[in-house]
Amino acid sequence: MKDFKVKFRGVRGSFPVADKKFLQYGGNTSCVEINAGGHVIILDAGTGIVKVGDELMEKYISSALEVKDRTPVCASVLLSHIHQDHILGLTFFKPMHLKSSKISIFGDGNDSDILKDNLTNLVFGKTFPLDLNDIQCELDIHNLDEDYVILFKPDCNAQLVKKDELKPQENDVIVSFYKSYVHPQNGVIIYKITYQGKSVVYATDKESYFGGDKKFVQFSKNCDLLIHDAQYTSEDYLNSHSPKQGFGHSTYDMAIEAMRQTGAKNLVFFHYDPSYDDSKLDKIKELYTSQNKNVYMAYEGLELNIE
Ligand SMILES: [Zn+2]
Ligand SMILES: [Zn+2]
């Protein structure tokens, strides 16, 4: 059995922060690296993806002395949505600028709202020295359609397969997803990565409903790890001077409730408000992780084995 590992690379929401009061949890925006069955699956391309790229480059360079003998970088980037904090690091993901790399990007899109066009407008061209067409690697960009899943066979390529035609084999990694409308203005994709009977759910930029989100509960039922938005304390969320209701983010209590309703075995709080420094997050940790078993604070570098 190959590894199923989750590594947190950027845990911050909204915008990156660089200050000594933020070093413990980290200031990079959303990015989680998953290694499952030998595949590199990167959830979101916030500034945390830069370090993932640097490490993949090191691995590539050390794979052989001669360039022609090196093992190409092969990775898939799954975007929850295209808010800045989730795409800010994409153009600085170095393997994308190597001719030999094979990179696939998946995210929300349809015939009239094409992911490739959105990325062209948002991160390439006028906001970066290169156009999308100048990118060196073998790059494919896919709109996600809920009738499909992303299938990773034990070779490099990720492919979209119709749900009703899926015949999973033991060593396949399957990514299922759906679009949730809990995040303004265009919603967010919730992902579930399944490998050898274990599953990880990535639910960032997700606000909960009163009484719980029934579709989400069904989708995430009994997952092994739930990575859940936890941008605000309940106090900040409900603050009468500056309420955060409707901003599309959850509280720590909502994330705990999602864990309870889904039956998730482990929960990691994710996507911290950029104003929450280490001391505030330490207090939150004290409050929530001492009272609840299998609940963890995300921080840059946190690595979990799914077993
Ligand atoms: Zn965000
Ligand atoms: Zn967002």
Side-chain angles (χ1 to χ4, degrees), residues 14 81 85-86 205 249 271:
S14 307
H81 62 317
D85 49 329
H86 299 260
D205 295 60
H249 297 291
H271 199 278

Side-chain angles (χ1 to χ4, degrees), residues 115-245:
L115 179 63
K116 190 173 180 178
D117 293 348
N118 285 331
L119 292 177
T120 301
N121 294 331
L122 290 168
V123 293
F124 293 98
K126 286 182 181 162
T127 57
F128 189 67
L130 298 174
D131 279 325
L132 190 60
N133 292 333
D134 300 326
I135 294 305
Q136 290 286 312
C137 74
E138 190 182 318
L139 177 69
D140 44 65
I141 301 177
H142 305 272
N143 294 334
L144 288 176
D145 174 332
E146 284 183 33
D147 289 338
Y148 289 75
V149 295
I150 311 168
L151 173 68
F152 295 84
K153 286 277 177 200
D155 57 25
C156 175
N157 295 329
Q159 49 183 311
L160 285 163
V161 176
K162 260 196 151 173
K163 276 181 190 167
D164 51 15
E165 290 168 8
L166 182 69
K167 295 185 184 80
Q169 309 281 311
E170 199 194 336
N171 290 317
D172 292 349
V173 178
I174 295 162
V175 179
S176 44
F177 51 86
Y178 78 96
K179 184 170 175 177
S180 168
Y181 291 90
V182 291
H183 194 65
Q185 295 184 3
N186 293 311
V188 65
I189 306 258
I190 311 284
Y191 289 102
K192 178 164 64 186
I193 299 95
T194 306
Y195 178 53
Q196 297 195 325
K198 305 281 176 188
S199 61
V200 174
V201 171
Y202 180 67
T204 189
D205 295 60
K206 179 192 176 302
E207 186 164 353
S208 286
Y209 296 123
F210 174 71
D213 181 335
K214 301 303 172 197
K215 184 171 182 179
F216 176 71
V217 169
Q218 199 180 12
F219 179 78
S220 311
K221 206 78 196 152
N222 300 324
C223 64
D224 294 276
L225 172 64
L226 172 59
I227 301 166
H228 199 286
D229 187 307
Q231 178 132 346
Y232 305 119
T233 61
S234 297
E235 195 187 357
D236 287 346
Y237 182 82
L238 295 169
N239 183 314
S240 54
H241 300 294
S242 170
K244 305 292 190 293
Q245 224 165 36

Side-chain angles (χ1 to χ4, degrees), residues 26-170:
N28 282 303
T29 63
S30 305
C31 182
V32 178
E33 179 188 357
I34 295 200
N35 285 278
H39 302 284
V40 178
I41 301 170
I42 302 164
L43 296 162
D44 278 326
T47 57
I49 200 174
V50 178
K51 201 166 179 192
V52 183
D54 291 351
E55 288 182 15
L56 288 170
M57 288 296 287
E58 278 171 30
K59 218 167 142 188
Y60 164 75
I61 291 164
S62 61
S63 67
L65 210 56
E66 296 276 342
V67 173
K68 65 175 177 43
D69 299 329
R70 289 179 182 164
T71 311
V73 175
C74 182
S76 296
V77 179
L78 315 187
L79 299 174
S80 62
H81 62 317
I82 50 172
H83 282 170
Q84 284 185 349
D85 49 329
H86 299 260
I87 54 171
L88 208 51
L90 187 62
T91 49
F92 299 97
F93 180 61
K94 288 195 189 116
M96 209 158 60
H97 304 286
L98 266 184
K99 209 165 184 175
S100 63
S101 304
K102 290 176 185 147
I103 312 290
S104 301
I105 302 176
F106 296 87
D108 190 24
N110 54 50
D111 291 346
S112 58
D113 186 24
I114 300 164
L115 179 63
K116 190 173 180 178
D117 293 348
N118 285 331
L119 292 177
T120 301
N121 294 331
L122 290 168
V123 293
F124 293 98
K126 286 182 181 162
T127 57
F128 189 67
L130 298 174
D131 279 325
L132 190 60
N133 292 333
D134 300 326
I135 294 305
Q136 290 286 312
C137 74
E138 190 182 318
L139 177 69
D140 44 65
I141 301 177
H142 305 272
N143 294 334
L144 288 176
D145 174 332
E146 284 183 33
D147 289 338
Y148 289 75
V149 295
I150 311 168
L151 173 68
F152 295 84
K153 286 277 177 200
D155 57 25
C156 175
N157 295 329
Q159 49 183 311
L160 285 163
V161 176
K162 260 196 151 173
K163 276 181 190 167
D164 51 15
E165 290 168 8
L166 182 69
K167 295 185 184 80
Q169 309 281 311
E170 199 194 336

